[in-house]
Amino acid sequence: MSTTRRTRVRGTGFRKMGKFRPVLRYRAKKFIKPMPIPEKVIPIKNLELPEGFSMKVEKNNFTISHSSGSLSREYPSSSLELNLNGNNLEIKGKSHNKRVKALVGTFMAHIKNMIKGIEKPFVYKLSIKSVHFPMTANYSGSKFELKNFLGGKFNRSTEIPSNVELKLNGSDIELISSDIESVGMTATRLEQLTRVNKRDRRVFQDGIFITHKGDKKL
């Protein structure tokens, strides 16, 4: 049985033989400049409130007020610090990790959306489409109810939040609210009422569909 050179070099019986002794090659050590360590910067973002707006910061809650309305929201006081100096708002993170940096940017976007919603409420438009069976929609109090979806015997319903105004005009639905999250979640719930399972959506096109998000047509 033949033995390979690698086996002979590593074997105990051939290590003293010069023919199979491994040759060691040394490389010249090159000086490698170490990478600079990035500075640990605390994330800070600043925002100037528009005229007519005021802001009140409490323990872990802040409120933005205007003559046309007000909105409140909780924030993680363990990770963020809100400092208000006149109309200048400073959002400062309490550490330098990437999670806190993301929170600073997220709450800056939340505050901008709250200001936009108070100035001009967000409007979502939906449409009820009936192809196979005519559907009937009713809205009373805070309950939206849909009847005869695909000929079903059971009515489908969902609750509308108190801060969302719903206007029902025939097959057109309009949602109005200064809170973009509430109006978006309500539109999604209405659309999910008519979710179709185990059917070809190209054939069964009955349902409620979002057609407009603000000025954007879908």
Side-chain angles (χ1 to χ4, degrees):
M1 181 177 177
S2 62
T3 308
T4 60
R5 183 177 183 277
R6 184 175 181 182
T7 307
R8 289 182 178 182
V9 170
R10 292 186 176 181
T12 56
F14 300 94
R15 285 184 179 176
K16 296 181 180 180
M17 299 177 62
K19 183 178 180 181
F20 302 105
R21 187 175 297 171
V23 179
L24 301 178
R25 297 179 180 178
Y26 296 93
R27 293 183 179 180
K29 294 183 179 180
K30 297 182 179 180
F31 177 73
I32 301 175
K33 187 177 181 181
M35 294 182 62
I37 300 175
E39 297 182 3
K40 297 179 179 180
V41 181
I42 299 294
I44 299 175
K45 284 186 178 291
N46 297 295
L47 177 67
E48 185 176 355
L49 298 178
E51 293 184 4
F53 282 86
S54 62
M55 186 172 181
K56 183 180 179 182
V57 181
E58 296 179 352
K59 189 174 181 180
N60 60 343
N61 190 291
F62 65 90
T63 304
I64 298 178
S65 303
H66 190 259
S67 59
S68 57
S70 63
L71 287 175
S72 299
R73 189 183 184 92
E74 294 183 356
Y75 74 97
S77 57
S78 59
S79 302
L80 298 180
E81 182 180 347
L82 302 184
N83 300 319
L84 191 63
N85 185 12
N87 283 341
N88 296 321
L89 172 66
E90 181 188 70
I91 305 177
K92 183 179 180 181
K94 292 188 176 181
S95 64
H96 50 75
N97 61 29
K98 60 182 181 181
R99 178 182 173 275
V100 174
K101 184 179 179 181
L103 277 176
V104 171
T106 298
F107 274 86
M108 176 61 71
H110 284 325
I111 293 173
K112 289 181 179 179
N113 283 332
M114 292 168 72
I115 293 173
K116 288 181 182 178
I118 293 174
E119 287 181 338
K120 182 181 178 181
F122 297 99
V123 179
Y124 276 48
K125 294 181 181 179
L126 300 92
S127 181
I128 303 174
K129 300 297 182 181
S130 301
V131 178
H132 290 83
F133 300 93
M135 289 183 288
T136 304
N138 295 321
Y139 176 61
S140 60
S142 62
K143 187 177 181 180
F144 179 86
E145 192 174 40
L146 192 68
K147 299 179 180 179
N148 199 38
F149 173 65
L150 294 179
K153 297 180 181 179
F154 301 100
N155 300 335
R156 304 188 177 205
S157 62
T158 185
E159 293 291 329
I160 306 299
S162 58
N163 59 345
V164 177
E165 180 185 356
L166 188 145
K167 294 181 179 179
L168 181 61
N169 184 14
S171 61
D172 296 328
I173 303 173
E174 193 173 67
L175 301 174
I176 304 171
S177 177
S178 57
D179 189 355
I180 189 172
E181 293 184 11
S182 296
V183 70
M185 288 297 295
T186 305
T188 303
R189 288 175 185 171
L190 292 177
E191 196 174 42
Q192 290 296 313
L193 278 180
T194 57
R195 184 176 59 183
V196 175
N197 295 325
K198 298 181 180 180
R199 289 185 175 92
D200 191 352
R201 203 62 169 123
R202 296 169 295 180
V203 178
F204 295 88
Q205 297 182 359
D206 300 51
I208 301 176
F209 304 97
I210 300 174
T211 57
H212 292 78
K213 290 184 178 181
D215 298 331
K216 183 180 178 181
K217 184 178 180 180
L218 303 182

